[in-house]
Amino acid sequence: HPIPLMEAQAKSLGLELLFVDIPQDTNDYMQAYIDGIVNLKVGYGIEVITTGDMDLVGTMERNWMERCCEGASIRVHLPLWKKNREDVLEELLDEGFRIMFSCVKSPFFDASWIGRMLDRNTLEEMKAIADRKLTEDEKESGVKELDLCGERGEYHTMCVDGPLYRWEVMLEREERAKEIVMESKWEGNIHNAKKIWTICLKESGETKEENGG
């Protein structure tokens, strides 16, 4: 997600935003990840990391964060692990979180989803997409049924308001989404998307706070 957005989210939540830098030229991505967690542990006294991981993805045999935290000798908490997807989304809506689609991928979504809010109408649309039968071409290319929570990377969202926010994070975004055509097989493209659309924030005034002042 755009850094200005994350900074605005942290400010509204009243939390410090910490970054872990992974060297681009690293030959051992996992060890670099572990080193970053160790730095957080030593520098801030962190004893447990909570993530929203829900399931194994791709060819993973174990959860990535479990492995990394094990290497850093720190506990990991996975409160959503194996939870029913629809129940989780319904709970988010019931609790009043405002969630925007920031990145979507084919074949399930298109550019029109960028900037839309997650609500019960979009949830019903997603359920219909998840229930549809895959085409033979999709099956042959490795596409799997839509995970309602996007656990295979089918979509990404960002929370702009909710019970813990002191004010809503307002976005100044471009009307058109950025389109990326996947011309090669990327290992992280675990559901074999051919196109990706992402949100584009305006260069000036990317985020603003709404705090009643």
Side-chain angles (χ1 to χ4, degrees):
H1 298 301
I3 290 178
L5 167 75
M6 293 188 287
E7 291 173 337
Q9 287 174 313
K11 190 171 183 180
S12 178
L13 290 166
L15 298 174
E16 183 178 1
L17 180 63
L18 306 176
F19 291 95
V20 173
D21 293 322
I22 305 297
Q24 289 185 347
D25 59 350
T26 182
N27 293 320
D28 191 336
Y29 186 79
M30 176 170 284
Q31 187 57 53
Y33 217 92
I34 291 171
D35 292 341
I37 294 174
V38 169
N39 290 337
L40 292 178
K41 176 183 175 182
V42 173
Y44 293 88
I46 294 173
E47 298 179 352
V48 60
I49 292 179
T50 299
T51 82
D53 294 347
M54 303 183 76
D55 216 327
L56 297 175
V57 294
T59 59
M60 291 182 181
E61 296 181 356
R62 287 186 63 199
N63 175 258
W64 171 265
M65 286 303 299
E66 279 188 325
R67 294 173 64 192
C68 290
C69 288
E70 184 179 277
S73 298
I74 190 172
R75 290 185 294 122
V76 64
H77 181 45
L78 306 171
L80 301 181
W81 193 253
K82 297 294 185 180
K83 292 286 187 180
N84 178 277
R85 309 301 201 256
E86 185 176 350
D87 290 348
V88 169
L89 295 179
E90 286 283 1
E91 186 172 349
L92 283 174
L93 295 176
D94 288 342
E95 292 185 1
F97 286 94
R98 285 181 50 77
I99 300 164
M100 180 183 292
F101 288 86
S102 58
C103 176
V104 298
K105 304 175 185 179
S106 66
F108 305 113
F109 303 98
D110 57 31
S112 68
W113 282 77
I114 296 299
R116 289 182 65 177
M117 304 305 294
L118 175 65
D119 55 26
R120 285 188 165 78
N121 289 331
T122 53
L123 177 54
E124 288 302 315
E125 288 185 54
M126 290 165 62
K127 287 165 59 177
I129 294 172
D131 289 341
R132 79 166 175 82
K133 300 295 183 181
L134 296 177
T135 66
E136 290 303 317
D137 287 344
E138 289 172 343
K139 292 178 182 178
E140 290 177 5
S141 63
V143 174
K144 297 180 180 179
E145 291 82 3
L146 172 67
D147 184 300
L148 275 183
C149 285
E151 192 65 3
R152 286 189 286 271
E154 299 97 327
Y155 70 88
H156 299 279
T157 58
M158 49 195 185
C159 183
V160 296
D161 200 7
L164 301 177
Y165 282 61
R166 293 180 293 179
W167 55 77
E168 181 176 356
V169 175
M170 307 295 290
L171 301 177
E172 294 288 344
R173 66 183 183 89
E174 302 289 351
E175 288 299 318
R176 292 178 62 87
K178 179 180 179 180
E179 181 179 300
I180 302 170
V181 178
M182 303 298 293
E183 297 180 349
S184 61
K185 175 66 176 177
W186 170 50
E187 185 178 353
N189 185 16
I190 56 178
H191 74 283
N192 301 294
K194 294 182 178 180
K195 287 186 178 181
I196 299 175
W197 295 270
T198 65
I199 196 168
C200 291
L201 299 184
K202 292 184 177 180
E203 292 185 4
S204 59
E206 291 178 316
T207 60
K208 58 184 178 180
E209 300 149 11
E210 187 174 274
N211 55 11

